[in-house]
Amino acid sequence: MPMESTLKTTGSDALKYMGAQPLRYAKQFRSFARKRRFAAFWLVVVGILVFISIAAPIVAPDDPNVPDFKKVTQGPDSSNFFGTDFLGRDVLSRVIYGGRSSLVIAVTSIILGIGLGSLWGMVSGYMGGKTDLISQRLLEILMAIPGLILAMMLAFILGASTTTLIMAIAFTRIAFGARVIRSVTLSVRETAYVEAARSIGAPTWRVMVFHVAPQTFAPFLVLFTTNVGIAILIESALGFIGLGIAPPTATWGNMLGEAASHLEPFWWLVFFPGLLITVTVLSINLAADGLQDALDPRGRGRI
Amino acid sequence: MTQQETASEVLKNDANITPLVDLRNLKVHFPITSGILFARTVGHVKAVDDVSLHINPGETLGLVGESGSGKTTLGRAALRLVEPTAGEVIFDGEDLTKLSGGEMRHRRRQMGIVFQDPYGSLNPRMTAGSMIGEPLKIHKLHSSKADYKKQIGDLLEIVGLSRAMADRYPHEFSGGQRQRIGVARALAGKPRFLVLDEPVSALDVSIQAQLINLLQDLQDEFNLTYLLIAHDLSVVRHISDRIAVMYLGKVVEIANYKDLYDNPLHPYTQALLSAIPLPDRTLERSRERIILKGDIPSPRNPPSGCVFHTRCPIAVEECKTTIPTMREIAPEHHAACIQL
């Protein structure tokens, strides 16, 4: 039987089978950039923010935690581009290091929360029956409490540290991961290839790991990106009201909180952390939107 | 009870052969539930209702019937891919319905299924090789990594593909090639019994012939027993030894393929066969076609008595009340109709 020797691989197909050829990543991005310029631009912004956070010790002009009482609350000038705070610390350096902690907390809590939720959703959806019924009622209870309030409550009970903060934010995300992945699992469960796997005697774990889980990759990616933005907001809000990371460690939230605790906040102490939160959340959400469109098989989208 | 008698009667007729697959009074009823929190059953869809039939080793039993008659459900139930509501599924002398989940998984090596849809039946994120190799891994049928690779290559060649195709993904294959991969996967465990669920109906006519020939060759080579589910009557005639006709969850007639086509007894079979177009124009024009009125009734609320009486051209008053049983009307020719 003759076969076409050079089968053209489309972008979304390439993403489906990524891992097969790591070389394809660059190609995929180029094609994504061509077809979705807007989303690609914001994806680049996300990339820059992530890079700056990782390279904070190199990029930051100053130590973020060393006070300099000779130049307290100075506005932006040529030596301190973003000005200095009440203890004379460089705001630019604090914003860079603050972004580092904010992103680390957001990303780890989302990996944990959405990961656990996805696992729960997949098991619940695949098992069905009573397991599913009880899980779904539990998730509904969890979803009924607003994320910020739940995280606040947990952070308050567990006490403020990086670990507990991550756990608190992760906990609020479980239900969202579970819901989405469960719905994907419900449709995958009915496919012929899942039945085929059962027909050859595959045990349940095998069907879930090899046949169900890979199909949930695209929705997982979208869930992940959209929720990172929410996690940054929750972290900032907790930092602002003093339930987040304790000073002197900088996060965008506690920088805003510190600035607001003074009678007359200096504009650069509010503006720069606020701007960074806005840009980060916005760029992540817009990039995620584009990614979601590109990965939606019904939209015939291409990366 | 009468059905049970029929089942034993069928057995008696070829007492010297033990059937490989023997379905006894098989019922598959799907509950219809309403309510979200406290689901209650408001009725049943009787997809398969009290069916008894057997398949001898090495033979092909064709199963025909229109959409919704329960053919596919019967095929799934024979492999216990759907749980039968009642009845027995005897495979090689052992009742599958009584096995535990683990024991059943172990037995699955000996049986397989080929699906209708060549696009839906392959996992889009697995290579052809890893899908064909999955039964080998599950049942630990390979001695080493090299042996695993070799067996996959052999299987690909058996179904007429090349060894090099093992690393390709399903979207890189045509429909006919995908169906061959499906066959290779079903064969990997060296099964004795295959359910072919409309294996060719999604393919081009030219590819259909190739696949049917392949299935026939494989049957000879590996001494396979087939349950062929189809609605293409000419395909069924071509490869079946015996044919069972299903209507609304019940088998209405079973006979040798020749007897069934030459001398159909049940009025439904007669109507079904008269729907086959004849290649000869004059014959086609002159022949008498039996056209059934209306649609197949809902299996949720099947007619009383004989389920076919609502559309039967020869129905009488008695048909509304009497449930017909399978009787041997001619040698090796069973039908369920009170007027025969």
Side-chain angles (χ1 to χ4, degrees):
Chain A
M1 206 175 281
M3 271 288 298
E4 284 176 64
S5 55
T6 47
L7 279 158
K8 220 179 141 232
T9 309
T10 53
S12 78
D13 282 332
L15 191 94
K16 269 185 205 162
Y17 311 116
M18 87 183 164
Q21 278 177 9
L23 236 172
R24 285 184 178 158
Y25 286 117
K27 239 192 223 165
Q28 279 163 39
F29 182 76
R30 227 176 301 148
S31 127
F32 182 67
R34 235 190 349 262
K35 281 163 195 149
R36 294 172 198 280
R37 285 170 194 282
F38 185 70
F41 168 75
W42 290 108
L43 195 62
V44 171
V45 175
V46 175
I48 292 169
L49 288 168
V50 170
F51 172 77
I52 291 175
S53 303
I54 292 168
I58 303 161
V59 179
D62 250 319
D63 190 307
N65 294 328
V66 173
D68 184 352
F69 295 107
K70 276 178 268 170
K71 42 179 184 180
V72 173
T73 58
Q74 279 177 357
D77 57 30
S78 55
S79 61
N80 301 91
F81 295 121
F82 285 9
T84 58
D85 67 1
F86 305 102
L87 298 172
R89 296 173 294 195
D90 181 35
V91 173
L92 175 60
S93 305
R94 285 185 69 74
V95 164
I96 290 170
Y97 274 92
R100 198 186 206 193
S101 10
S102 287
L103 282 177
V104 164
I105 289 165
V107 169
T108 35
S109 63
I110 291 309
I111 289 175
L112 206 69
I114 295 294
L116 272 177
S118 300
L119 205 64
W120 187 3
M122 191 170 81
V123 172
S124 157
Y126 188 77
M127 293 298 183
K130 285 227 159 58
T131 322
D132 192 38
L133 193 78
I134 294 166
S135 307
Q136 291 313 305
R137 299 300 85 78
L138 281 176
L139 291 177
E140 273 154 22
I141 294 169
L142 214 57
M143 284 176 102
I145 310 166
L148 181 60
I149 301 195
L150 188 61
M152 231 190 270
M153 206 167 72
L154 286 169
F156 187 72
I157 296 167
L158 298 169
S161 80
T162 314
T163 327
T164 55
L165 194 64
I166 287 170
M167 273 158 54
I169 297 172
F171 191 72
T172 66
R173 300 293 101 194
I174 288 175
F176 295 91
R179 268 297 159 102
V180 173
I181 300 302
R182 171 181 173 266
S183 74
V184 177
T185 307
L186 285 180
S187 63
V188 174
R189 189 177 67 160
E190 303 302 325
T191 57
Y193 57 82
V194 165
E195 198 180 11
R198 289 204 300 130
S199 81
I200 54 171
T204 308
W205 70 263
R206 198 182 169 91
V207 179
M208 282 206 261
V209 172
F210 290 99
H211 299 279
V212 181
Q215 324 300 331
T216 64
F217 177 72
F220 179 84
L221 205 66
V222 172
L223 264 174
F224 179 82
T225 40
T226 43
N227 277 284
V228 166
I230 297 168
I232 289 173
L233 286 179
I234 294 178
E235 191 278 324
S236 301
L238 291 178
F240 181 76
I241 58 172
L243 280 171
I245 305 289
T249 310
T251 71
W252 293 334
N254 70 21
M255 284 174 76
L256 281 178
E258 262 176 57
S261 64
H262 289 77
L263 270 180
E264 203 179 312
F266 297 95
W267 68 267
W268 59 90
L269 296 184
V270 181
F271 179 75
F272 292 112
L275 180 76
L276 261 293
I277 293 172
T278 312
V279 169
T280 311
V281 175
L282 192 72
S283 59
I284 289 173
N285 278 339
L286 291 174
D289 260 4
L291 216 56
Q292 185 162 25
D293 287 346
L295 289 171
D296 184 3
R298 277 157 303 180
R300 286 264 141 249
R302 292 271 183 266
I303 273 208
Chain B
M1 195 191 79
T2 38
Q3 285 276 348
Q4 226 151 13
E5 278 166 21
T6 325
S8 54
E9 204 177 77
V10 172
L11 273 176
K12 236 181 288 162
N13 283 320
D14 32 52
N16 43 348
I17 314 165
T18 322
L20 180 67
V21 180
D22 191 0
L23 311 178
R24 293 184 187 160
N25 304 93
L26 193 69
K27 289 182 187 179
V28 183
H29 294 181
F30 296 112
I32 307 162
T33 54
S34 86
I36 303 157
L37 199 54
F38 302 103
R40 63 208 158 79
T41 309
V42 293
H44 287 279
V45 171
K46 296 177 177 173
V48 176
D49 200 20
D50 211 1
V51 166
S52 298
L53 55 83
H54 68 274
I55 310 167
N56 292 324
E59 102 174 321
T60 300
L61 178 72
L63 188 61
V64 296
E66 60 196 292
S67 304
S69 60
K71 333 183 269 298
T72 298
T73 308
L74 181 66
R76 300 279 200 284
L79 299 176
R80 225 184 119 191
L81 285 172
V82 294
E83 265 337 295
T85 314
E88 295 174 346
V89 179
I90 316 284
F91 180 84
D92 198 20
E94 187 178 35
D95 186 359
L96 297 182
T97 58
K98 295 202 168 55
L99 296 177
S100 72
E103 286 170 328
M104 186 63 221
R105 265 207 313 279
H106 193 67
R107 297 301 183 285
R108 290 200 182 282
R109 192 181 75 73
Q110 300 182 35
M111 49 190 94
I113 180 166
V114 176
F115 293 92
Q116 173 177 14
D117 176 15
Y119 291 90
S121 60
L122 302 181
N123 185 339
R125 294 175 195 216
M126 269 172 108
T127 59
S130 55
M131 257 180 290
I132 296 169
E134 212 178 359
L136 304 176
K137 279 193 172 154
I138 292 165
H139 301 292
K140 301 188 176 61
L141 301 173
H142 57 288
S143 51
S144 64
K145 231 181 167 145
D147 181 45
Y148 171 77
K149 281 229 162 88
K150 186 187 166 294
Q151 285 197 46
I152 291 171
D154 291 347
L155 282 161
L156 280 166
E157 282 183 352
I158 286 170
V159 297
L161 299 170
S162 80
R163 305 185 95 88
M165 291 176 177
D167 294 327
R168 292 198 189 152
Y169 286 95
H171 76 283
E172 298 174 64
F173 292 98
S174 70
Q177 288 175 323
R178 281 163 160 254
Q179 203 62 319
R180 283 167 193 262
I181 295 169
V183 174
R185 172 177 56 193
L187 285 177
K190 298 195 175 55
R192 300 159 68 191
F193 174 53
L194 287 187
V195 172
L196 310 171
D197 187 4
E198 309 212 15
V200 297
S201 57
L203 305 174
D204 282 351
V205 181
S206 58
I207 312 286
Q208 283 191 3
Q210 289 177 12
L211 198 77
I212 288 167
N213 290 339
L214 172 71
L215 289 168
Q216 281 186 311
D217 293 346
L218 293 172
Q219 183 168 37
D220 294 341
E221 200 177 333
F222 299 106
N223 192 25
L224 295 166
T225 305
Y226 287 159
L227 172 62
L228 174 73
I229 300 163
H231 54 235
D232 185 332
L233 294 162
S234 37
V235 168
V236 175
R237 180 179 196 166
H238 183 69
I239 81 166
S240 301
D241 298 306
R242 286 188 307 135
I243 294 170
V245 181
M246 264 189 106
Y247 182 80
L248 212 61
K250 288 181 185 288
V251 170
V252 295
E253 187 164 357
I254 305 181
N256 175 299
Y257 79 95
K258 227 171 148 35
D259 293 342
L260 192 108
Y261 278 85
D262 295 347
N263 181 28
L265 294 173
H266 197 279
Y268 178 65
T269 314
Q270 288 168 356
L272 204 62
L273 292 180
S274 89
I276 304 175
L278 299 174
D280 188 313
R281 205 149 54 108
T282 34
L283 273 179
E284 171 72 43
R285 251 187 236 145
S286 63
R287 72 168 176 158
E288 197 189 329
R289 279 208 57 197
I290 307 164
I291 294 169
L292 296 178
K293 6 177 227 287
D295 282 329
I296 189 164
S298 161
R300 181 180 171 175
N301 190 15
S304 63
C306 172
V307 287
F308 188 54
H309 83 254
T310 52
R311 300 169 77 196
C312 183
I314 60 163
V316 292
E317 202 53 40
E318 206 193 333
C319 293
K320 292 182 185 166
T321 49
T322 316
I323 299 174
T325 53
M326 283 292 257
R327 287 177 299 128
E328 186 165 19
I329 285 145
E332 283 294 285
H333 196 148
H334 303 259
C337 179
I338 55 167
Q339 298 193 63
L340 294 169

